[in-house]
Amino acid sequence: DAKTTQPTSMDCAEGRAANLPCNHSTISGNEYVYWYRQIHSQGPQYIIHGLKNNETNEMASLIITEDRKSSTLILPHATLRDTAVYYCIVRYLRGTSYGKLTFGQGTILTVHP
Amino acid sequence: DTAVSQTPKYLVTQMGNDKSIKCEQNLGHDTMYWYKQDSKKFLKIMFSYNNKELIINETVPNRFSPKSPDKAHLNLHINSLELGDSAVYFCASSSRRGREAAYEQYFGPGTRLTVT
């Protein structure tokens, strides 16, 4: 799986948009970009994923650059409960390694009142 | 109802003991996983089972033996526990069927294992 690079930590004011960047410059054409988050002492939680197009769901939006070498997770109105470690993962969904999630260090997002 | 459950939530034991952690999912998924999160918070996959068949086996000491009695259960047995086994162990499940959106993994609450 391609390696990802994320900032170690970020801050955001409550109610503002949180934009979390991820660099995956070695991504291949058939690898997806996934985002998970882990709130303190809980299991990781799926947020969103995409291949080429921008995606939006009830939790967040995912913006993938045209060359697919980077992406941004957007939490449109961050709340205190969004304070967590956010993981950007590039994932191949075929072959014997399918389903395997390789977690990096992630970004610690702290939402302030 | 809890989608992915693990027991016990906390486990404190001494070096050399043998212990098991149990995982159950009620999502109808056909694939289950074990992950280990160490003290530095790195989360790594250990094993994965699909329809009771082992499909992912990372470089894990053979003291760790997963067992899947059926699709809804994946247990982790650890022999001769060592201090370095202290970590939080997460179980997860997913489905191989359908669009890739179904491949998202649902994680359990974790089991904090402390070896003294």
Side-chain angles (χ1 to χ4, degrees):
Chain A
D1 290 342
K3 183 178 177 180
T4 61
T5 304
Q6 299 177 250
T8 301
S9 63
M10 295 184 65
D11 289 340
C12 178
E14 189 177 19
R16 303 295 295 270
N19 297 285
L20 291 88
C22 179
N23 184 292
H24 32 79
S25 58
T26 60
I27 192 171
S28 64
N30 52 12
E31 288 180 311
Y32 290 75
V33 179
Y34 273 74
W35 284 83
Y36 279 74
R37 73 179 182 183
Q38 186 174 23
I39 297 171
H40 180 63
S41 297
Q42 297 181 22
Q45 176 190 23
Y46 166 82
I47 301 174
I48 199 168
H49 79 284
L51 181 62
K52 296 179 182 178
N53 301 322
N54 298 336
E55 302 288 343
T56 296
N57 63 20
E58 64 279 3
M59 289 184 67
S61 294
L62 174 60
I63 308 297
I64 302 175
T65 58
E66 192 169 343
D67 63 6
R68 303 187 70 238
K69 293 184 177 182
S70 66
S71 61
T72 301
L73 177 74
I74 301 172
L75 307 179
H77 306 287
T79 70
L80 299 179
R81 287 174 295 185
D82 292 322
T83 293
V85 180
Y86 287 77
Y87 297 98
C88 170
I89 300 166
V90 171
R91 189 181 179 199
Y92 182 59
L93 292 182
R94 296 289 185 267
T96 56
S97 66
Y98 96 97
K100 177 179 171 181
L101 290 173
T102 302
F103 289 84
Q105 286 188 306
T107 296
I108 301 171
L109 174 68
T110 303
V111 181
H112 297 286
Chain B
D1 287 341
T2 304
V4 182
S5 60
Q6 296 180 227
T7 53
K9 187 171 177 61
Y10 300 96
L11 182 56
V12 181
T13 188
Q14 291 184 330
M15 285 174 47
N17 285 347
D18 303 338
K19 291 292 179 184
S20 293
I21 305 172
K22 296 184 176 182
C23 178
E24 177 181 3
Q25 54 93 5
N26 62 6
L27 298 166
H29 289 164
D30 55 2
T31 306
M32 297 184 71
Y33 312 79
W34 277 111
Y35 287 82
K36 177 182 179 181
Q37 188 165 40
D38 60 24
S39 57
K40 296 183 178 180
K41 303 297 185 183
F42 283 109
L43 195 60
K44 294 183 180 180
I45 191 168
M46 301 173 68
F47 303 102
S48 176
Y49 270 76
N50 174 256
N51 287 322
K52 301 193 297 177
E53 179 184 354
L54 182 66
I55 55 172
I56 295 176
N57 186 351
E58 294 295 289
T59 306
V60 177
N62 56 16
R63 298 182 295 104
F64 290 78
S65 54
K67 287 185 171 56
S68 181
D70 55 57
K71 288 195 301 184
H73 296 84
L74 180 62
N75 303 324
L76 183 65
H77 187 76
I78 314 170
N79 290 325
S80 303
L81 278 156
E82 300 178 356
L83 293 176
D85 297 333
S86 295
V88 181
Y89 292 84
F90 289 100
C91 176
S93 73
S94 68
S95 174
R96 287 186 73 168
R97 296 184 296 271
R99 299 170 55 210
E100 74 278 3
Y103 291 173
E104 65 179 275
Q105 293 184 15
Y106 292 82
F107 284 77
T111 295
R112 182 174 295 277
L113 172 65
T114 303
V115 182
T116 61

